[in-house]
């Protein structure tokens, strides 16, 4: 089967927004090519060889969308261009925005993206293992089986990596965790394997919900419930930890509502915040929470706070 590949060059700040637009327009698959992800893998001990062509110019993010060839495909591409350009009006830097269109075979995109993902150790004992890779656990390592599919969250991205490191530090046995905007479900699976008693994971994107459910099943977990929700809309009860690896605007919107869903002295962990907007998010979060830690990596920051 032939597909239309739409390659968008943009900034790190805009990558997730661009991916969401592509999904909303009916893309059959979305792949993000981030040079920082590749560098992180190469710096790990898990690659004996890497293809230098995987590296791109610093700062350039490429997001690929795949659309089945149809009578309205060109219209979708034009709408895609317009909606990405509109991101600037929301204060999102789209960088050196560029769009290229080509025709590809299904096999070329369905499997080639897997070359980016190898077993990766994060923190002291978390190992993210792609489902198609072999890995033997060392000592007390916690192995997270993962097939990211078309959902955001592989462990290589700085925002996800910081969340995993912080979850390892703060997780207490028998905790209840809410994962808002769960993507691939990686943070939910990690929470469960780190000792959480109950984990509730939700995303507004149906593809992400299905991928997260598959990853929960892949890890043979029975205490993680995945469902569709617009932020906190369908969550019930209160959590010990709420984690949201999303975008700055959504975190700002959430901050005033999260305290109602947290137990006394509950923790709020957020990431997905581009550095340029970290102060803006911080000012909002600290109205309702005591700031415990601010962590930065690459162009991103994560904030750990406690309910006042």
């Amino acid at each position: 089967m032939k597909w239309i590949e739409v390659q968008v060059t943009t900034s790190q700040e805009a990558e997730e927004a661009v991916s969401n637009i592509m999904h909303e327009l009916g893309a059959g698959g979305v792949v993000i090519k981030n040079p920082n992800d590749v560098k992180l893998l190469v710096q790990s001990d898990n690659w004996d060889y890497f293809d230098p062509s995987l590296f791109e110019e610093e700062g350039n993010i490429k997001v690929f969308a795949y659309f089945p060839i149809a009578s309205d495909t060109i219209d979708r591409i034009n709408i895609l261009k317009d909606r990405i350009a509109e991101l600037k009006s929301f204060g999102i830097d789209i960088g050196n925005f560029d769009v290229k269109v080509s025709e590809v075979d299904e096999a070329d995109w369905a499997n080639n993206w897997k070359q980016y993902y190898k077993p990766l150790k994060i923190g002291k004992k978390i190992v993210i293992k792609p489902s198609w890779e072999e890995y033997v656990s060392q000592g007390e390592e916690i192995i997270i089986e993962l097939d990211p599919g078309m959902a955001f969250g592989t462990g290589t991205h700085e925002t996800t990596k910081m969340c995993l490191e912080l979850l390892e530090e703060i997780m207490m046995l028998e905790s209840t965790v809410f994962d808002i905007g769960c993507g691939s479900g990686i943070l939910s699976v990690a929470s469960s394997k780190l000792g959480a008693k109950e984990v509730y994971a939700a995303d507004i994107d149906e593809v992400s919900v299905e991928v997260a459910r598959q990853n929960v099943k892949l890890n043979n977990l029975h205490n993680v419930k995945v469902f569709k929700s617009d932020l906190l809309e369908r969550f019930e009860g209160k959590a010990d930890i709420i984690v949201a690896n999303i975008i700055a605007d959504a975190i700002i919107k959430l901050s005033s509502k999260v305290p109602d869903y947290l137990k006394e002295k509950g923790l709020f962990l957020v990431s997905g915040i581009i550095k340029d907007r970290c102060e803006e998010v911080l000012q909002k979060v600290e109205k309702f929470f005591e700031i415990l830690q601010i962590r930065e990596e690459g162009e991103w920051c994560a904030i750990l706070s406690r309910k006042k």
Side-chain angles (χ1 to χ4, degrees):
M1 181 176 178
K2 294 286 187 178
W3 294 73
I4 294 296
E5 177 187 83
V6 182
Q7 174 186 311
V8 174
T9 301
T10 188
S11 67
Q12 289 199 25
E13 180 177 352
E15 68 175 59
E16 191 170 356
V18 170
S19 300
N20 287 338
I21 292 170
M22 290 171 165
H23 281 304
E24 288 170 2
L25 289 175
V30 175
V31 177
I32 299 173
K33 188 176 180 182
N34 186 331
N36 290 334
D37 293 353
V38 179
K39 288 179 182 177
L40 183 60
L41 284 172
V42 171
Q43 289 165 4
S44 72
D45 297 326
N46 299 306
W47 269 12
D48 297 320
Y49 168 79
F50 71 93
D51 182 353
S53 68
L54 295 180
F55 283 113
E56 296 288 342
E57 182 182 345
E58 191 77 29
N60 279 344
I61 307 297
K62 295 188 185 298
V63 187
F64 300 81
Y66 297 87
F67 296 94
I69 296 177
S71 58
D72 65 344
T73 302
I74 298 302
D75 290 335
R76 290 194 207 186
I77 294 170
N78 289 330
I79 293 171
L80 175 68
K81 293 177 182 177
D82 291 342
R83 288 191 59 186
I84 293 174
E86 286 175 2
L87 293 175
K88 292 187 290 185
S89 66
F90 296 99
I92 298 176
D93 175 18
I94 62 173
N96 298 319
F97 175 50
D98 182 57
V99 178
K100 294 180 181 178
V101 179
S102 58
E103 185 178 295
V104 296
D105 288 317
E106 183 168 4
D108 290 338
W109 69 266
N111 292 306
N112 286 357
W113 60 273
K114 291 183 178 180
Q115 66 186 309
Y116 291 96
Y117 302 115
K118 300 290 180 180
L120 178 67
K121 188 167 185 177
I122 295 175
K124 294 180 180 179
K125 57 184 178 180
I126 297 173
V127 175
I128 309 301
K129 188 186 87 63
S131 58
W132 56 89
E133 289 285 335
E134 295 294 330
Y135 184 83
V136 178
S137 176
Q138 320 247 338
E140 296 182 352
E141 288 180 341
I142 293 172
I143 308 299
I144 296 177
E145 296 273 354
L146 188 72
D147 187 347
M150 292 185 290
F152 181 82
T154 63
T156 63
H157 196 280
E158 292 100 324
T159 59
T160 309
K161 180 173 176 286
M162 287 188 288
C163 283
L164 288 168
E165 290 171 342
L166 286 164
L167 281 172
E168 185 180 64
E169 294 174 15
I170 66 176
M171 188 61 63
M172 297 171 290
L173 296 179
E174 302 297 298
S175 293
T176 296
V177 177
F178 290 175
D179 182 3
I180 303 171
C182 64
S184 67
I186 185 172
L187 300 181
S188 295
V189 171
S191 296
S192 175
K193 293 203 169 189
L194 286 167
K197 181 181 179 181
E198 299 175 307
V199 183
Y200 297 89
D203 203 292
I204 194 171
D205 176 48
E206 291 183 358
V207 172
S208 293
V209 170
E210 182 56 35
V211 170
R213 284 174 176 160
Q214 291 172 3
N215 284 321
V216 168
K217 185 177 181 180
L218 188 63
N219 285 274
N220 195 30
L221 300 176
H222 303 287
N223 64 339
V224 182
K225 181 181 179 181
V226 184
F227 52 96
K228 184 178 179 180
S229 177
D230 183 1
L231 300 179
L232 283 164
E233 183 179 58
R234 294 188 59 201
F235 282 86
E236 297 178 353
K238 295 192 176 187
D240 297 285
I241 300 171
I242 292 181
V243 57
N245 182 20
I246 40 181
I247 58 174
D249 289 325
I251 294 168
I252 290 171
K253 180 180 178 181
L254 270 176
S255 295
S256 62
K257 300 176 182 178
V258 165
D260 293 336
Y261 291 83
L262 271 177
K263 297 177 184 178
E264 185 177 353
K265 295 185 178 180
L267 299 174
F268 185 34
L269 170 58
V270 296
S271 191
I273 310 161
I274 199 76
K275 273 186 180 179
D276 290 345
R277 301 199 65 194
C278 189
E279 185 60 32
E280 179 186 355
V281 175
L282 192 60
Q283 288 178 4
K284 182 69 173 181
V285 171
E286 63 186 3
K287 290 182 179 180
F288 307 96
F289 300 89
E290 173 193 357
I291 306 301
L292 300 180
Q293 187 178 157
I294 301 170
R295 187 166 295 190
E296 295 183 355
E297 188 162 335
E299 296 299 315
W300 304 88
C301 71
I303 300 170
L304 175 64
S305 60
R306 178 186 289 124
K307 180 179 175 180
K308 288 183 178 180

